[in-house]
């Protein structure tokens, strides 16, 4: 009888010892729950751990980065376009105790992530046009959403690593109409740019013509001044030559008259009166 009691005690002791031990691996973090309430700090190191047998329960959470893939949703852009946005998020449990006390489970966490990220998506995308979202501002938009969502999710012990847009496209049912409308808007914008370009071109051409006229006028004025100065100087030289040797001067002028009147390329004939000065000069210089 004693031996049976002893064996029973041994078995109970073994059960108690084994029920007080639990294992936490490298990818896990754990919280002890005693009578429905968390006890102590979260266990974030791996290895063999101990708890109060029977009354303590162990809740484990993943320490790794997790992914949440949301359902595509329609969001209205700044220019009133319906846009189907498909997004996903990478997250991890930063504070397991706060996580347990607020969202309690992965499902609860994903619901909260979906609410917050979608809310931020809707607010931020509503500040940008369709073209900005699908072309230039996409990265900037997701950075803003990640930053703002991270602050809100931290209240639930969740660290948002990254939020991304997998695709952003127009709804199928009105995609063609919207593309046509966008094409019309772009054509109208191109027409406006062309008109502005032509106006600028005409203005530039007008200014160039005006400058050309001014430059030519100034050049003509300068050339006339130079010509006048040259003629004045020539007259001065002629006068000086005339005063020095009147006969030689007359001889030179006669040669010049010959050259002009009877040049090689001048086949004109002239009929002069014997009373004219030119006839007299020509007659005297034979």
């Amino acid at each position: 009888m004693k031996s049976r009691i002893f064996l029973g005690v041994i078995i109970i002791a073994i059960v108690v010892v084994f029920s007080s031990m639990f294992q936490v691996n490298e990818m896990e973090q754990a919280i002890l729950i005693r009578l429905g309430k968390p006890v102590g700090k979260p266990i974030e190191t791996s290895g063999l751990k101990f708890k109060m047998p029977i009354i303590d329960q162990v809740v484990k959470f993943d320490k790794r980065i997790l992914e949440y893939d949301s359902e595509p949703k329609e969001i209205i852009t700044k220019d009133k376009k319906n846009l189907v946005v498909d997004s996903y998020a990478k997250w991890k449990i930063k504070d397991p105790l706060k996580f347990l006390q607020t969202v309690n489970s992965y499902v609860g966490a994903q619901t909260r992530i979906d609410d917050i990220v979608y809310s931020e998506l809707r607010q931020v995308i509503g500040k940008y046009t369709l073209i900005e979202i699908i072309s230039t501002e996409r990265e900037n938009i997701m950075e803003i959403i990640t930053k703002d969502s991270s602050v809100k999710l931290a209240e639930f012990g969740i660290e948002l690593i990254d939020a991304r847009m997998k695709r952003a496209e127009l709804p199928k049912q009105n995609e063609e109409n919207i593309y046509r409308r966008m094409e019309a808007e772009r054509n109208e914008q191109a027409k406006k740019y062309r008109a502005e370009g032509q106006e600028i071109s005409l203005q530039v051409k007008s200014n160039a013509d005006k400058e050309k006229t001014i430059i030519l006028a100034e050049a003509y004025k300068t050339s006339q001044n130079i010509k006048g100065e040259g003629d004045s100087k020539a007259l001065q030289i002629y006068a000086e030559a005339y005063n020095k040797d009147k006969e030689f001067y007359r001889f030179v002028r006669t040669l010049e008259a010959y050259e002009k009147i009877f040049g090689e390329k001048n086949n004109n004939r002239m009929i002069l009166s014997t009373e004219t000065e030119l006839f007299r000069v020509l007659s005297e210089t034979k």
Side-chain angles (χ1 to χ4, degrees):
M1 184 65 183
K2 289 183 178 179
S3 61
R4 290 183 178 178
I5 294 174
F6 180 73
L7 181 59
V9 171
I10 294 297
I11 293 173
I12 292 172
I14 292 173
V15 171
V16 169
V17 170
F18 275 97
S19 64
S20 67
M21 295 188 299
F22 64 98
Q23 182 75 26
V24 177
N25 64 40
E26 292 81 3
M27 297 178 290
E28 294 175 330
Q29 49 192 341
I31 295 175
L32 288 179
I33 305 295
R34 183 174 300 163
L35 302 177
K37 294 183 179 179
V39 179
K41 294 181 179 179
I43 301 170
E44 298 180 348
T45 57
S46 60
L48 185 62
K49 310 294 178 183
F50 295 93
K51 64 182 180 65
M52 292 290 290
I54 301 175
I55 61 173
D56 282 356
Q57 293 180 341
V58 179
V59 177
K60 296 179 181 178
F61 295 116
D62 206 319
K63 286 201 312 188
R64 295 173 296 180
I65 295 175
L66 306 172
E67 287 191 359
Y68 171 66
D69 194 351
S70 69
E71 291 293 326
K73 296 181 176 67
E74 281 195 22
I75 298 176
I76 300 175
T77 64
K78 182 181 178 181
D79 49 348
K80 309 303 178 189
K81 305 287 193 306
N82 286 343
L83 193 65
V84 178
V85 178
D86 190 1
S87 64
Y88 75 97
K90 291 183 178 180
W91 62 284
K92 63 186 295 186
I93 300 172
K94 182 72 174 179
D95 186 339
L97 182 58
K98 189 179 290 185
F99 182 86
L100 178 67
Q101 293 172 331
T102 53
V103 295
N104 189 260
S105 65
Y106 296 112
V107 175
Q110 290 178 349
T111 302
R112 193 65 64 183
I113 292 171
D114 187 74
D115 292 342
I116 291 175
V117 173
Y118 174 63
S119 174
E120 293 297 328
L121 271 170
R122 193 175 51 197
Q123 289 184 29
V124 177
I125 285 179
K127 299 176 182 177
Y128 292 87
T129 65
L130 175 62
I131 296 299
E132 291 172 337
I133 294 166
I134 62 178
S135 57
T136 59
E137 297 296 331
R138 189 164 179 158
E139 289 295 323
N140 186 39
I141 289 172
M142 295 316 299
E143 286 181 6
I144 295 172
I145 291 170
T146 301
K147 182 180 177 182
D148 293 347
S149 299
S150 296
V151 175
K152 295 179 180 177
L153 286 171
E155 299 175 5
F156 304 99
I158 296 172
E159 179 184 359
L160 184 66
I161 307 297
D162 194 15
R164 290 287 162 186
M165 219 186 292
K166 286 196 297 186
R167 74 188 160 91
E169 59 187 17
L170 298 168
K172 296 296 181 186
Q173 60 271 22
N174 58 357
E175 187 176 36
E176 186 175 351
N177 291 335
I178 290 179
Y179 278 135
R180 286 179 180 172
R181 196 187 315 160
M182 289 174 63
E183 183 180 8
E185 291 174 356
R186 293 295 173 272
N187 288 335
E188 187 65 26
Q189 196 171 26
K191 186 178 178 181
K192 178 184 174 186
Y193 288 154
R194 278 196 292 271
E196 291 176 353
Q198 289 176 352
E199 183 179 350
I200 294 172
S201 172
L202 290 174
Q203 186 175 359
V204 171
K205 188 176 179 181
S206 175
N207 291 337
D209 290 341
K210 183 179 178 181
E211 289 181 6
K212 175 186 173 184
T213 302
I214 293 172
I215 292 172
L216 289 175
E218 290 178 349
Y220 179 76
K221 181 181 177 182
T222 303
S223 68
Q224 290 301 310
N225 290 336
I226 294 173
K227 186 178 178 182
E229 292 175 359
D231 290 342
S232 176
K233 200 163 186 176
L235 289 174
Q236 184 180 355
I237 293 172
Y238 286 143
E240 291 174 354
Y242 180 78
N243 291 329
K244 285 183 178 179
D245 190 338
K246 297 180 180 178
E247 291 300 324
F248 181 74
Y249 175 79
R250 178 176 291 180
F251 175 71
V252 171
R253 297 292 292 172
T254 300
L255 292 178
E256 289 178 355
Y258 277 164
E259 184 179 2
K260 292 180 180 178
I261 296 171
F262 303 108
E264 294 180 357
K265 297 181 180 179
N266 192 344
N267 297 320
N268 295 331
R269 293 182 179 182
M270 297 183 63
I271 299 174
L272 300 176
S273 172
T274 55
E275 302 298 327
T276 61
E277 182 65 19
L278 178 59
F279 182 80
R280 186 186 64 79
V281 172
L282 293 175
S283 299
E284 291 177 354
T285 54
K286 285 182 180 179

